[in-house]
Amino acid sequence: MRRWWRWVACAGGWIALTYTFFLGFVTIVSLTDPSLIRTYQPPLDNMAPRGSWGWTSRRGGRGARLPWCQPLHWREPPGPATALVSFPGSGNTWIRYLLQQVTGYYSGSVYKDYALMKNGFPAESISNGSVVVVKTHEWGPEIRKSFSRAILVMRDPYLAIQAEFNRQSGGHIGHAQPDKYTRDGGHYWEKFVTNKALAWMNTTLDWLKFSGPLHLVFYEDLLDNLPEEMRRILEFLDLEVTENNFDCMIRHQDGIYKRRRRPLNFDPFTPKLRKFVDKCKRLVDQAVREVLAGGDVKLVLNNLKYSNDSNGNQKSVTR
Ligand SMILES: *[C@@H]1O[C@H](CO)[C@@H](O)[C@H](O)[C@H]1NC(C)=O
Ligand SMILES: *[C@@H]1O[C@H](CO)[C@@H](O)[C@H](O)[C@H]1NC(C)=O
Ligand SMILES: *[C@@H]1O[C@H](CO)[C@@H](O)[C@H](O)[C@H]1NC(C)=O
């Protein structure tokens, strides 16, 4: 009996020893043979469409690899639900990014853009005070009612419309191919511009009627003087940030969203289109100027013969 046990213990020992050597051998081989080292490949359906979001989407992380100035978190306790309104292509995502950098709070959205969600904006589809601002391109009394403060970002319609055309054809950082402008004898582009110029005007004029505190940001000012404009936004949001985080935000101001300039070698805006866009631009310019000068929104919009809304009132508009 005792002999039998000794035999089992001895065999077991040999098996364990052999197994350990085998494991060691396999490890050494796999560490030295490059063909055995597999890098992680995200599943195909995780890949972003061409032109959208460049390197981080290929690395497939929830923005974890972005150089954030501080760990991102929810706003606790929650603040007032604050809209970040703009026509598409006017720097909305850029401002969200800058605010996340400087405040450390997530920024939300009324949409659920999966490309953004995977690339630094995990709070897509959250639209309450747990996020610092909530992106929206919507307009109308219903959407206005769901916010207690609003930042309205405006950009020159020519550039905003072209940026939106690029986004719809080429993703967040891609471009529309030049032949897109001449598709269908140019009718496709013409319809796009007419429709978007109206939407651009509707968005802006509608949010001027917002009854809570409203802050206006001009995208062009943001480009000219980012620190000053960001300080104004933070002041409007009533948020204090450290100089460290502020400097960090300025250092990382570009993020990964910037669409590189790729000028067309022709002017896509025909005289007819220019006439139309100019008219929208003039109406909006006039309304914004008068509202900023303290005019009654209702009267201003009535004078534009644009639309009638009984919610017009005198209120504080900052910029
Ligand atoms: C905001 O919405 C999220 C998700 O619906 C929820 O978990 C959170 O508690 C909400 N925050 C507030 C302040 O309502
Ligand atoms: C703009 O607003 C007008 C008036 O409310 C509406 O008739 C039109 O359909 C809107 N156009 C767009 C593109 O939003
Ligand atoms: C707007 O509504 C007011 C009444 O609220 C009316 O007196 C005015 O004529 C209307 N203006 C237009 C352009 O429809």
Side-chain angles (χ1 to χ4, degrees):
M1 198 60 179
R2 280 185 61 192
R3 267 184 77 122
W4 184 74
W5 271 111
R6 226 175 5 199
W7 192 85
V8 167
C10 187
W14 273 109
I15 288 170
L17 206 62
T18 314
Y19 187 57
T20 308
F21 272 112
F22 173 72
L23 274 188
F25 177 72
V26 166
T27 308
I28 286 165
V29 166
S30 60
L31 282 180
T32 50
D33 181 353
S35 74
L36 284 175
I37 301 172
R38 292 227 160 75
T39 48
Y40 171 69
Q41 293 281 335
L44 266 185
D45 62 352
N46 260 352
M47 302 281 281
R50 211 183 108 256
S52 141
W53 288 82
W55 56 275
T56 46
S57 36
R58 275 193 298 280
R59 293 186 187 186
R62 288 180 147 238
R65 284 165 193 274
L66 289 182
W68 293 111
C69 296
Q70 50 188 321
L72 300 183
H73 51 274
W74 299 104
R75 187 164 183 191
E76 190 64 53
T82 308
L84 180 63
V85 190
S86 73
F87 176 78
S90 307
N92 199 309
T93 306
W94 188 32
I95 297 177
R96 288 177 67 189
Y97 165 79
L98 294 168
L99 284 173
Q100 290 194 161
Q101 285 286 27
V102 72
T103 67
Y105 296 137
Y106 294 126
S107 69
S109 172
V110 302
Y111 313 105
K112 194 164 191 165
D113 180 330
Y114 286 95
L116 294 185
M117 202 158 148
K118 281 191 272 170
N119 290 286
F121 300 92
E124 283 288 299
S125 85
I126 303 295
S127 52
N128 57 30
S130 294
V131 290
V132 62
V133 289
V134 179
K135 160 187 171 177
T136 181
H137 302 311
E138 307 300 309
W139 54 278
E142 280 310 306
I143 185 84
R144 273 185 277 131
K145 256 194 290 184
S146 50
F147 293 101
S148 43
R149 299 186 302 193
I151 298 173
L152 172 59
V153 189
M154 285 169 284
R155 185 182 186 186
D156 179 85
Y158 287 102
L159 298 173
I161 289 170
Q162 232 183 319
E164 175 62 358
F165 195 62
N166 281 327
R167 192 191 63 80
Q168 287 196 3
S169 317
H172 280 284
I173 57 171
H175 289 84
Q177 295 305 315
D179 64 1
K180 262 272 168 81
Y181 292 95
T182 50
R183 189 171 131 191
D184 191 17
H187 286 306
Y188 177 77
W189 165 246
E190 196 172 297
K191 241 179 108 181
F192 186 89
V193 174
T194 315
N195 190 19
K196 294 300 174 181
L198 282 175
W200 175 84
M201 179 169 79
N202 284 354
T203 312
T204 316
L205 295 183
D206 183 76
W207 278 90
L208 286 179
K209 293 186 264 184
F210 184 66
S211 54
L214 176 68
H215 181 67
L216 305 186
V217 175
F218 297 95
Y219 181 80
E220 287 74 16
D221 289 347
L222 212 56
L223 291 182
D224 282 351
N225 193 349
L226 184 69
E228 171 70 17
E229 292 299 318
M230 285 310 291
R231 289 211 190 271
R232 288 183 188 194
I233 291 174
L234 289 167
E235 191 181 325
F236 174 76
L237 293 175
D238 214 3
L239 287 173
E240 305 236 335
V241 301
T242 65
E243 283 307 302
N244 241 355
N245 284 334
F246 196 86
D247 294 343
C248 176
M249 170 195 73
I250 298 293
R251 268 200 315 279
H252 295 106
Q253 58 179 270
D254 280 355
I256 54 167
Y257 326 100
K258 227 171 182 169
R259 188 178 278 112
R260 270 177 227 295
R261 286 181 61 84
R262 192 194 289 168
L264 294 165
N265 56 8
F266 59 95
D267 179 3
F269 293 95
T270 61
K272 186 175 151 205
L273 285 178
R274 283 207 177 264
K275 206 169 153 210
F276 188 80
V277 177
D278 279 343
K279 190 175 162 213
C280 296
K281 198 170 154 175
R282 220 169 25 246
L283 288 173
V284 168
D285 277 351
Q286 188 186 339
V288 168
R289 245 199 325 275
E290 291 184 25
V291 169
L292 277 174
D296 180 326
V297 183
K298 187 176 167 190
L299 284 180
V300 170
L301 294 183
N302 274 351
N303 287 342
L304 291 180
K305 293 193 178 57
Y306 161 71
S307 71
N308 228 338
D309 188 295
S310 53
N311 284 334
N313 58 356
Q314 208 101 35
K315 51 113 197 289
S316 81
V317 179
T318 61
R319 63 137 302 190

